[in-house]
Amino acid sequence: MGGAARDLSGDPDVNSRATTDLPRVAIIGTRGFPSYYGGFETLVRHLAPYLAEHGWEVDVYCRPGLVADEKIPTGVTQRFTRGVDSKSASTLSFGFSACADAARRKPDVALIMNVANGYFLPMLKARGIPVVLNVDGLEWEREKWSAPAKRIFHTGATLSAKFADTLVADSVEIGKYWKQHFGRDTEFIPYGGTTPDSPNSHLVRERLGLEPGSYVLAVARFVPENTMQEFFDAVRLMDPETRVVVVGSAPPGDPIQDSADRLAAERPNVQLLGHLSDDEFLHALWSNAGVYFHGHSVGGTNPALVQAMACGAPTVVRDTIFNREVLGDHGRFAAPDANAISSHLIAILHSDPDRTDLSLDVSARSDECYLWKSVLCRYGKVLRCAARH
């Protein structure tokens, strides 16, 4: 077993890199390892073990209480720092404490997630630590953030452009945006998908009473830019007997969550599963869906969409440049309104040939462009190049 989870206060292991000739990378800006929260956490679940297996010592900075109780691979160390656990302060406070500790330890390179951490790059640069930063999507355009929060993210992006040695964009279109607005080139590295060994049809039968190909699936957080309200309105336009499964949620009292709860109360065939950390079951839901709706509109390559493709889910997406980049010609593109969404979903759900063709197409697209093996190899090369400089 690798480095044990521990609080950093009084941690004597400050000079641990002196005990090994292996290069050390600090991964900062996620909820930690292993975590099942979102795209960055999914990336780190794959990347940290990969780097450890390929000659790195890996420090993953974690938030207390937000990582799974699982065995930690040899070469990977969880490092817990303190912060304020709130929507408005968590990213900045945990980012500050993690960057401060990494500056103290002085790894060979830091991999930073999220431009909000751009504020803290000067302390790493002052210690001579090269920084590779994943810019993620355009956080300052997300409706869920207040105007001050949007300004914080945009300023963080400006500082990231100024101080990071290497910027990574998960989308070609995001890379174009950064070149145009911030004058910086980016390395394109998308997310990867895991192709299941089996569709595990028995899981959806046993747990939900569903047959393969019989249901509509949506997987997303309930935030405005994910088009979930429009999706729930679209479901109301469908036959009440249509089986619908929704993975995702919002805090109690959120308007979209309230809308979802009302829909499920009115229609017993709508099943709300909330957040899932069981990858095997989630992959089974995608693998056996009659049609999958993906409404994400802000950001680049979305991890959920890439994983849905790896599972062969026939897909309807909100029509954006980012979703078109990922899917190519292998999906159905809908305007963000209930009528457009429902018509696409119904047409695919009730057409066996369309479902089969779309499933084969997205699987082939996944194999061609979005395999984890290629993604992780590219991260390894970028980190080694940055560490050498």
Side-chain angles (χ1 to χ4, degrees), residues 301-322:
T301 299
N302 185 270
L305 178 56
V306 170
Q307 186 55 57
M309 292 164 63
C311 292
T315 301
V316 172
V317 297
R318 177 168 171 170
D319 194 353
T320 70
I321 56 173
F322 306 116

Side-chain angles (χ1 to χ4, degrees), residues 29-241:
T30 74
R31 284 157 177 79
F33 172 87
S35 175
Y36 294 83
Y37 180 79
F40 278 155
E41 287 75 17
T42 300
L43 169 61
V44 173
R45 283 207 320 274
H46 289 274
L47 182 59
Y50 172 88
L51 292 175
E53 292 169 3
H54 287 77
W56 290 84
E57 293 288 345
V58 184
D59 292 341
V60 183
Y61 282 83
C62 306
R63 301 183 191 180
L66 295 181
V67 296
D69 184 15
E70 298 177 6
K71 183 178 180 180
I72 308 302
T74 299
V76 178
T77 299
Q78 295 170 312
R79 299 204 180 276
F80 290 87
T81 59
R82 296 184 176 89
V84 179
D85 192 11
S86 72
K87 179 180 178 181
S88 60
S90 60
T91 297
L92 290 174
S93 61
F94 281 104
F96 171 78
S97 62
C99 287
D101 187 80
R104 182 170 63 108
R105 295 177 184 278
K106 200 175 180 183
D108 295 282
V109 62
L111 174 60
I112 311 292
M113 309 296 189
N114 196 324
V115 297
N117 292 306
Y119 292 91
F120 316 123
L121 299 190
M123 73 172 76
L124 298 173
K125 300 298 292 181
R127 292 282 285 161
I129 302 169
V131 172
V132 176
L133 188 143
N134 185 313
V135 302
D136 197 21
L138 310 178
E139 285 289 335
W140 50 92
E141 293 189 2
R142 295 187 188 273
E143 294 182 44
K144 69 176 182 178
W145 298 120
S146 64
K150 291 178 180 180
R151 286 195 294 272
I152 288 171
F153 277 114
H154 193 271
T155 302
T158 302
L159 293 170
S160 298
K162 181 177 181 179
F163 291 109
D165 296 278
T166 304
L167 296 175
V168 173
D170 62 37
S171 156
V172 172
E173 292 296 335
I174 289 289
K176 291 178 182 177
Y177 182 98
W178 273 76
K179 182 64 174 179
Q180 178 181 353
H181 293 273
F182 296 103
R184 283 292 305 269
D185 291 320
T186 57
E187 294 281 346
F188 168 57
I189 309 179
Y191 288 99
T194 301
T195 303
D197 294 330
S198 163
N200 287 320
S201 304
H202 68 282
L203 292 178
V204 297
R205 288 192 181 99
E206 294 167 2
R207 300 188 190 185
L208 301 178
L210 295 171
E211 290 299 317
S214 69
Y215 59 93
V216 177
L217 175 67
V219 180
R221 296 183 200 131
F222 295 177
V223 293
E225 59 266 22
N226 288 351
T227 326
M228 290 305 290
Q229 183 58 62
E230 293 85 350
F231 171 76
F232 294 136
D233 293 340
V235 172
R236 294 180 184 279
L237 299 177
M238 300 178 192
D239 187 314
E241 298 303 311

